[in-house]
Amino acid sequence: MTTSRSADAVAAAAALPGPLVGADWLAARLGEPGLVVFDASVGAHRGADRRIPGARPFDLDGALSDHDAPAPHTMPRAAAFEEAIRALGVDDTSTVVVYDGAGIYSSARAWWMLRAMGFDRAAVLDGGLPAWTAAGLPVEACGPAYEGPRGSFTARPRTGLLVDADAVGAALADPAAVVLDARTRERFTAAAPEPRAGLRGGHMPGAVNLPFGDLQRDGGLMRPAGELREAFAALTGDRERLYFSCGSGVTACVLALGASLAGYSSLAVYDGSWTDWAMRPERPAVTGRRGQFFGASEDRFTGPTTGDERVMLTDVLGAQRASWS
């Protein structure tokens, strides 16, 4: 049964200030009709013993990933996503706030998935559960899974927000686009191994590294919009078409959130990300800092180099050839 759109639900949605809300904003509206709060924690934070009162589980390790796909955290098909979101009581008129137990980590993935399915009435809680508790706001013991009424959510997939290896390969060869990798610098350069056993390390030739943590300040809060714009511009120049990758498509969405706050609009997330790319032997990979000229907060003319310009250009041309094959 489709629920009616109440005046309170309209008011809550109208007040949504953008893709990011603070703990004070959510605390002032908690419990309002039409407002749904999701806990999208993954890994060690999944199934924690406390939650924001009334929060429902957005289970990225469970029903809200396609477990038939080779890479973890792959977006489910539209029908499966719609069913899962309806089962969580979300209507097309709901206002959704997503948080996670780490701060801003996996919550941005849930927000981006909703956007990819045509739902714009969602935001990420700035700083997540740590910011909520640091503000002295109430939590409750986690109860059973959501057992309330079903929602009327309708999936309306948008093309281009979640993309595959072919699209990323084309972006690497496109002078108007840039691929940004949200993993740590150690994983990007292959100085540290990938957490998935047997997965090769390194990065896509031509990709640049912007660790998702660089977009956050003390307390796990997102940096102001002006600082975010500077961080992206240092790597992208005047390119406005941005593609994001990470280990499995989760923290890439933190970059998508940061870019949205910074005013960029042509954004795409590589679903499957480095896990998907590295599992494909035909896709090239490089190690060290080849393919990236300088970092977001680094001086490109200082420090040791790991390769000359000819090597970097060879890597980029290799990526272009791979995208044509």
mmCIF file of all heavy atoms in Angstrom, residues 24-54:
data_model
loop_
_atom_site.group_PDB
_atom_site.id
_atom_site.type_symbol
_atom_site.label_atom_id
_atom_site.label_comp_id
_atom_site.label_asym_id
_atom_site.label_seq_id
_atom_site.Cartn_x
_atom_site.Cartn_y
_atom_site.Cartn_z
ATOM 1 N N ASP A 24 23.261 18.387 14.530
ATOM 2 C CA ASP A 24 22.223 19.257 15.094
ATOM 3 C C ASP A 24 20.994 19.286 14.209
ATOM 4 O O ASP A 24 19.863 19.302 14.694
ATOM 5 C CB ASP A 24 22.778 20.663 15.325
ATOM 6 C CG ASP A 24 23.397 21.291 14.084
ATOM 7 O OD1 ASP A 24 23.605 20.562 13.082
ATOM 8 O OD2 ASP A 24 23.683 22.510 14.104
ATOM 9 N N TRP A 25 21.208 19.290 12.884
ATOM 10 C CA TRP A 25 20.068 19.275 11.950
ATOM 11 C C TRP A 25 19.246 18.014 12.156
ATOM 12 O O TRP A 25 18.019 18.061 12.251
ATOM 13 C CB TRP A 25 20.585 19.345 10.508
ATOM 14 C CG TRP A 25 19.491 19.452 9.474
ATOM 15 C CD1 TRP A 25 19.023 20.597 8.903
ATOM 16 C CD2 TRP A 25 18.726 18.375 8.911
ATOM 17 N NE1 TRP A 25 18.004 20.307 8.016
ATOM 18 C CE2 TRP A 25 17.804 18.956 7.997
ATOM 19 C CE3 TRP A 25 18.720 16.999 9.081
ATOM 20 C CZ2 TRP A 25 16.892 18.186 7.260
ATOM 21 C CZ3 TRP A 25 17.808 16.225 8.361
ATOM 22 C CH2 TRP A 25 16.904 16.818 7.460
ATOM 23 N N LEU A 26 19.920 16.862 12.218
ATOM 24 C CA LEU A 26 19.198 15.604 12.372
ATOM 25 C C LEU A 26 18.536 15.516 13.742
ATOM 26 O O LEU A 26 17.378 15.077 13.859
ATOM 27 C CB LEU A 26 20.148 14.425 12.176
ATOM 28 C CG LEU A 26 19.529 13.031 12.337
ATOM 29 C CD1 LEU A 26 18.371 12.831 11.362
ATOM 30 C CD2 LEU A 26 20.589 11.946 12.145
ATOM 31 N N ALA A 27 19.210 15.943 14.795
ATOM 32 C CA ALA A 27 18.644 15.857 16.145
ATOM 33 C C ALA A 27 17.353 16.658 16.258
ATOM 34 O O ALA A 27 16.412 16.241 16.945
ATOM 35 C CB ALA A 27 19.667 16.343 17.169
ATOM 36 N N ALA A 28 17.300 17.788 15.561
ATOM 37 C CA ALA A 28 16.116 18.643 15.633
ATOM 38 C C ALA A 28 14.916 18.033 14.919
ATOM 39 O O ALA A 28 13.777 18.448 15.170
ATOM 40 C CB ALA A 28 16.428 20.017 15.055
ATOM 41 N N ARG A 29 15.161 17.046 14.044
ATOM 42 C CA ARG A 29 14.084 16.485 13.238
ATOM 43 C C ARG A 29 13.859 15.001 13.488
ATOM 44 O O ARG A 29 12.971 14.398 12.883
ATOM 45 C CB ARG A 29 14.392 16.719 11.760
ATOM 46 C CG ARG A 29 14.352 18.188 11.387
ATOM 47 C CD ARG A 29 15.080 18.474 10.076
ATOM 48 N NE ARG A 29 14.986 19.882 9.729
ATOM 49 C CZ ARG A 29 15.767 20.834 10.240
ATOM 50 N NH1 ARG A 29 16.712 20.516 11.129
ATOM 51 N NH2 ARG A 29 15.613 22.098 9.889
ATOM 52 N N LEU A 30 14.651 14.411 14.357
ATOM 53 C CA LEU A 30 14.565 12.981 14.596
ATOM 54 C C LEU A 30 13.144 12.606 15.033
ATOM 55 O O LEU A 30 12.572 13.231 15.926
ATOM 56 C CB LEU A 30 15.573 12.583 15.665
ATOM 57 C CG LEU A 30 15.940 11.093 15.748
ATOM 58 C CD1 LEU A 30 16.619 10.641 14.469
ATOM 59 C CD2 LEU A 30 16.854 10.846 16.945
ATOM 60 N N GLY A 31 12.594 11.602 14.402
ATOM 61 C CA GLY A 31 11.249 11.149 14.735
ATOM 62 C C GLY A 31 10.150 11.794 13.920
ATOM 63 O O GLY A 31 8.984 11.405 14.056
ATOM 64 N N GLU A 32 10.474 12.775 13.082
ATOM 65 C CA GLU A 32 9.446 13.385 12.252
ATOM 66 C C GLU A 32 8.895 12.378 11.250
ATOM 67 O O GLU A 32 9.639 11.545 10.718
ATOM 68 C CB GLU A 32 10.013 14.591 11.486
ATOM 69 C CG GLU A 32 10.238 15.821 12.317
ATOM 70 C CD GLU A 32 10.629 17.017 11.461
ATOM 71 O OE1 GLU A 32 10.749 16.852 10.233
ATOM 72 O OE2 GLU A 32 10.816 18.109 12.021
ATOM 73 N N PRO A 33 7.591 12.442 10.955
ATOM 74 C CA PRO A 33 7.041 11.581 9.906
ATOM 75 C C PRO A 33 7.744 11.838 8.574
ATOM 76 O O PRO A 33 8.050 12.976 8.220
ATOM 77 C CB PRO A 33 5.573 12.015 9.832
ATOM 78 C CG PRO A 33 5.290 12.639 11.159
ATOM 79 C CD PRO A 33 6.573 13.299 11.584
ATOM 80 N N GLY A 34 8.025 10.768 7.865
ATOM 81 C CA GLY A 34 8.668 10.898 6.559
ATOM 82 C C GLY A 34 10.176 10.903 6.595
ATOM 83 O O GLY A 34 10.810 10.835 5.551
ATOM 84 N N LEU A 35 10.770 10.975 7.798
ATOM 85 C CA LEU A 35 12.235 10.969 7.917
ATOM 86 C C LEU A 35 12.708 9.564 8.243
ATOM 87 O O LEU A 35 12.274 8.969 9.239
ATOM 88 C CB LEU A 35 12.696 11.941 8.994
ATOM 89 C CG LEU A 35 14.204 12.006 9.238
ATOM 90 C CD1 LEU A 35 14.928 12.562 8.022
ATOM 91 C CD2 LEU A 35 14.522 12.848 10.479
ATOM 92 N N VAL A 36 13.607 9.029 7.417
ATOM 93 C CA VAL A 36 14.176 7.699 7.619
ATOM 94 C C VAL A 36 15.668 7.849 7.864
ATOM 95 O O VAL A 36 16.364 8.516 7.084
ATOM 96 C CB VAL A 36 13.929 6.790 6.400
ATOM 97 C CG1 VAL A 36 14.633 5.442 6.568
ATOM 98 C CG2 VAL A 36 12.439 6.584 6.171
ATOM 99 N N VAL A 37 16.181 7.238 8.930
ATOM 100 C CA VAL A 37 17.605 7.259 9.238
ATOM 101 C C VAL A 37 18.162 5.866 9.005
ATOM 102 O O VAL A 37 17.620 4.876 9.512
ATOM 103 C CB VAL A 37 17.849 7.696 10.698
ATOM 104 C CG1 VAL A 37 19.359 7.690 11.007
ATOM 105 C CG2 VAL A 37 17.264 9.087 10.943
ATOM 106 N N PHE A 38 19.236 5.794 8.230
ATOM 107 C CA PHE A 38 19.874 4.518 7.914
ATOM 108 C C PHE A 38 21.253 4.436 8.546
ATOM 109 O O PHE A 38 22.022 5.407 8.512
ATOM 110 C CB PHE A 38 20.040 4.350 6.402
ATOM 111 C CG PHE A 38 18.821 3.855 5.681
ATOM 112 C CD1 PHE A 38 18.450 4.418 4.469
ATOM 113 C CD2 PHE A 38 18.059 2.815 6.190
ATOM 114 C CE1 PHE A 38 17.345 3.960 3.788
ATOM 115 C CE2 PHE A 38 16.948 2.349 5.512
ATOM 116 C CZ PHE A 38 16.582 2.921 4.305
ATOM 117 N N ASP A 39 21.575 3.262 9.068
ATOM 118 C CA ASP A 39 22.934 2.927 9.492
ATOM 119 C C ASP A 39 23.542 2.055 8.394
ATOM 120 O O ASP A 39 23.138 0.916 8.207
ATOM 121 C CB ASP A 39 22.902 2.175 10.817
ATOM 122 C CG ASP A 39 24.292 1.810 11.333
ATOM 123 O OD1 ASP A 39 25.266 1.866 10.563
ATOM 124 O OD2 ASP A 39 24.398 1.438 12.519
ATOM 125 N N ALA A 40 24.513 2.610 7.674
ATOM 126 C CA ALA A 40 25.129 1.903 6.549
ATOM 127 C C ALA A 40 26.524 1.395 6.901
ATOM 128 O O ALA A 40 27.374 1.249 6.024
ATOM 129 C CB ALA A 40 25.195 2.817 5.325
ATOM 130 N N SER A 41 26.760 1.102 8.161
ATOM 131 C CA SER A 41 28.079 0.634 8.591
ATOM 132 C C SER A 41 28.441 -0.692 7.937
ATOM 133 O O SER A 41 27.569 -1.522 7.646
ATOM 134 C CB SER A 41 28.105 0.460 10.112
ATOM 135 O OG SER A 41 27.817 1.669 10.776
ATOM 136 N N VAL A 42 29.739 -0.878 7.704
ATOM 137 C CA VAL A 42 30.244 -2.127 7.141
ATOM 138 C C VAL A 42 31.371 -2.651 8.025
ATOM 139 O O VAL A 42 31.871 -1.974 8.914
ATOM 140 C CB VAL A 42 30.757 -1.951 5.695
ATOM 141 C CG1 VAL A 42 29.632 -1.546 4.756
ATOM 142 C CG2 VAL A 42 31.897 -0.931 5.642
ATOM 143 N N GLY A 43 31.773 -3.887 7.757
ATOM 144 C CA GLY A 43 32.919 -4.468 8.436
ATOM 145 C C GLY A 43 32.728 -4.534 9.940
ATOM 146 O O GLY A 43 31.682 -4.946 10.439
ATOM 147 N N ALA A 44 33.753 -4.078 10.667
ATOM 148 C CA ALA A 44 33.744 -4.180 12.124
ATOM 149 C C ALA A 44 32.641 -3.344 12.755
ATOM 150 O O ALA A 44 32.221 -3.615 13.885
ATOM 151 C CB ALA A 44 35.094 -3.750 12.682
ATOM 152 N N HIS A 45 32.157 -2.319 12.050
ATOM 153 C CA HIS A 45 31.116 -1.449 12.600
ATOM 154 C C HIS A 45 29.714 -1.978 12.323
ATOM 155 O O HIS A 45 28.745 -1.464 12.878
ATOM 156 C CB HIS A 45 31.256 -0.039 12.027
ATOM 157 C CG HIS A 45 32.511 0.656 12.445
ATOM 158 N ND1 HIS A 45 32.653 1.257 13.670
ATOM 159 C CD2 HIS A 45 33.693 0.815 11.801
ATOM 160 C CE1 HIS A 45 33.866 1.782 13.769
ATOM 161 N NE2 HIS A 45 34.514 1.528 12.651
ATOM 162 N N ARG A 46 29.611 -2.966 11.442
ATOM 163 C CA ARG A 46 28.299 -3.519 11.120
ATOM 164 C C ARG A 46 27.743 -4.270 12.336
ATOM 165 O O ARG A 46 28.439 -5.052 12.975
ATOM 166 C CB ARG A 46 28.430 -4.470 9.935
ATOM 167 C CG ARG A 46 27.135 -5.118 9.490
ATOM 168 C CD ARG A 46 27.433 -6.192 8.457
ATOM 169 N NE ARG A 46 26.221 -6.834 7.970
ATOM 170 C CZ ARG A 46 26.195 -8.044 7.423
ATOM 171 N NH1 ARG A 46 27.315 -8.742 7.313
ATOM 172 N NH2 ARG A 46 25.065 -8.557 7.002
ATOM 173 N N GLY A 47 26.474 -4.042 12.624
ATOM 174 C CA GLY A 47 25.839 -4.745 13.732
ATOM 175 C C GLY A 47 26.338 -4.328 15.094
ATOM 176 O O GLY A 47 26.340 -5.128 16.032
ATOM 177 N N ALA A 48 26.772 -3.067 15.228
ATOM 178 C CA ALA A 48 27.220 -2.578 16.532
ATOM 179 C C ALA A 48 26.058 -2.598 17.523
ATOM 180 O O ALA A 48 24.896 -2.731 17.142
ATOM 181 C CB ALA A 48 27.780 -1.166 16.389
ATOM 182 N N ASP A 49 26.381 -2.439 18.796
ATOM 183 C CA ASP A 49 25.344 -2.579 19.820
ATOM 184 C C ASP A 49 24.600 -1.284 20.104
ATOM 185 O O ASP A 49 23.750 -1.228 20.996
ATOM 186 C CB ASP A 49 25.951 -3.125 21.118
ATOM 187 C CG ASP A 49 27.043 -2.210 21.672
ATOM 188 O OD1 ASP A 49 27.351 -1.193 21.014
ATOM 189 O OD2 ASP A 49 27.587 -2.524 22.746
ATOM 190 N N ARG A 50 24.884 -0.223 19.380
ATOM 191 C CA ARG A 50 24.166 1.029 19.586
ATOM 192 C C ARG A 50 23.936 1.712 18.257
ATOM 193 O O ARG A 50 24.666 1.491 17.281
ATOM 194 C CB ARG A 50 24.953 1.949 20.528
ATOM 195 C CG ARG A 50 26.330 2.322 20.012
ATOM 196 C CD ARG A 50 27.039 3.243 20.988
ATOM 197 N NE ARG A 50 28.359 3.616 20.486
ATOM 198 C CZ ARG A 50 29.098 4.590 21.005
ATOM 199 N NH1 ARG A 50 28.647 5.283 22.032
ATOM 200 N NH2 ARG A 50 30.291 4.871 20.511
ATOM 201 N N ARG A 51 22.901 2.541 18.242
ATOM 202 C CA ARG A 51 22.525 3.221 17.009
ATOM 203 C C ARG A 51 21.829 4.531 17.349
ATOM 204 O O ARG A 51 21.394 4.747 18.502
ATOM 205 C CB ARG A 51 21.576 2.347 16.187
ATOM 206 C CG ARG A 51 20.224 2.124 16.857
ATOM 207 C CD ARG A 51 19.358 1.148 16.091
ATOM 208 N NE ARG A 51 18.054 0.970 16.757
ATOM 209 C CZ ARG A 51 17.179 0.021 16.446
ATOM 210 N NH1 ARG A 51 17.471 -0.853 15.486
ATOM 211 N NH2 ARG A 51 16.023 -0.064 17.077
ATOM 212 N N ILE A 52 21.713 5.398 16.364
ATOM 213 C CA ILE A 52 20.863 6.571 16.504
ATOM 214 C C ILE A 52 19.424 6.077 16.656
ATOM 215 O O ILE A 52 19.015 5.154 15.935
ATOM 216 C CB ILE A 52 21.029 7.493 15.287
ATOM 217 C CG1 ILE A 52 22.450 8.093 15.273
ATOM 218 C CG2 ILE A 52 19.981 8.605 15.297
ATOM 219 C CD1 ILE A 52 22.758 8.941 14.064
ATOM 220 N N PRO A 53 18.669 6.619 17.578
ATOM 221 C CA PRO A 53 17.322 6.097 17.817
ATOM 222 C C PRO A 53 16.491 5.976 16.536
ATOM 223 O O PRO A 53 16.369 6.924 15.762
ATOM 224 C CB PRO A 53 16.716 7.126 18.779
ATOM 225 C CG PRO A 53 17.888 7.644 19.536
ATOM 226 C CD PRO A 53 18.999 7.704 18.534
ATOM 227 N N GLY A 54 15.952 4.786 16.331
ATOM 228 C CA GLY A 54 15.092 4.531 15.188
ATOM 229 C C GLY A 54 15.809 4.194 13.905
ATOM 230 O O GLY A 54 15.158 3.954 12.877
#
